Amino acid sequence: MAMDNMTPLQALRWSVAMGADEAIGDEPVDRYAQSAEPAAPAQPAVPVHASASTAPAAPPLASSQGAADSRAAARQADTLAALRLALEAFEGCALKQTATNLVFADGNPEADLMILGEAPGAEEDRQGTPFVGPSGQLLDRMLGAIGRDRTSAYISNVLFWRPPGNRTPTDAEVAACMPFVQRHIALVRPKVLVFVGGAAAKALLERKEGIMRLRGTWYDYRNPDLDVPIPALAIFHPAYLLRSPGQKRQTWRDLLMLRARLAELA
């Protein structure tokens, strides 16, 4: 079907299918009209010793500043509802300015299993719920293979807002969110943690190895808000498994390890 013959809804669906899943401005920009405009004359260079008339751009938020602000906010939350409100009021992570929704958690907070991924994707950002896109559907099937679903697991991420274009989060963004994540885990106090993907595993275990080395081994997860460690297992991210289905055999072994440990702790 030609673009000229599409309805607005059909055109929107076509744009999303082609990867245009973000709006970057409130009004359309006519680039053809812009290219026809004469170029502005070059401005003379300002000598190094001269005073600029405009203020310099503000520096990006430092990791220590965002983390300090989030530690203070997270420390005051004594319930999951209070933690969510603290995140909604938090302005120390720049991702909040570009995201559509806060993506807090899904599932059963009373469950003995807590699953943490890296960051929301496009569909998660639209719905405000973690793991609801194609990788989330595979995660649901993975849980189903060991007799679990979202009523017997609690799911969240290391980041609560989507990085634009699903880019890799910066150290500053992870540092700003980490105190909330630590408090989140401490408030839920699951019997077992699962870290989905290398980025989440490395951030929460404070390790440098990649997921190939981290998976298949049990770790003791600790944070300042926990009085005892929680057994933690790292697994491949479902998005990686969709691209590399040959690794599903390794993931099945990890899931069997998880099922056995949950049975021991029941």
Side-chain angles (χ1 to χ4, degrees), residues 39-87:
Q43 298 296 321
V46 179
V48 174
H49 61 272
S51 298
S53 60
T54 57
L61 183 69
S63 301
S64 57
Q65 179 185 344
D69 291 346
S70 59
R71 278 195 297 270
R75 192 178 300 120
Q76 299 177 16
D78 55 3
T79 65
L80 292 176
L83 186 67
R84 180 174 186 130
L85 288 174
L87 277 163

Side-chain angles (χ1 to χ4, degrees), residues 85-233:
L85 288 174
L87 277 163
E88 290 173 348
F90 182 61
E91 300 296 337
C93 182
L95 293 177
K96 182 178 181 180
Q97 306 307 316
T98 57
T100 302
N101 284 302
L102 167 73
V103 181
F104 185 65
D106 191 31
N108 180 5
E110 301 296 326
D112 55 0
L113 172 62
M114 185 174 185
I115 299 170
L116 289 149
E118 179 187 12
E123 192 61 35
E124 288 78 11
D125 183 43
R126 278 191 284 269
Q127 297 190 32
T129 304
F131 283 98
V132 292
S135 62
Q137 295 166 16
L138 179 53
L139 178 63
D140 288 341
R141 293 198 296 272
M142 291 161 61
L143 289 173
I146 59 170
R148 296 269 171 162
D149 58 22
R150 297 198 182 213
T151 67
S152 55
Y154 186 66
I155 304 171
S156 187
N157 282 304
V158 171
L159 295 179
F160 298 94
W161 298 277
R162 181 198 182 196
N166 294 345
R167 63 161 172 76
T168 301
T170 66
D171 291 343
E173 291 159 355
V174 173
C177 290
M178 188 54 64
F180 289 108
V181 178
Q182 293 174 336
R183 191 65 179 153
H184 203 174
I185 294 171
L187 288 171
V188 176
R189 292 191 178 271
K191 292 181 179 179
V192 175
L193 286 163
V194 170
F195 303 144
V196 180
K202 288 191 287 186
L204 290 162
L205 294 173
E206 298 181 349
R207 304 286 290 256
K208 295 183 178 180
E209 302 96 320
I211 188 62
M212 291 291 183
R213 290 184 176 271
L214 291 174
R215 60 147 296 275
T217 302
W218 284 103
Y219 300 89
D220 285 336
Y221 169 80
R222 295 176 171 86
N223 80 40
D225 292 332
L226 291 172
D227 50 1
V228 295
I230 299 175
L233 182 69

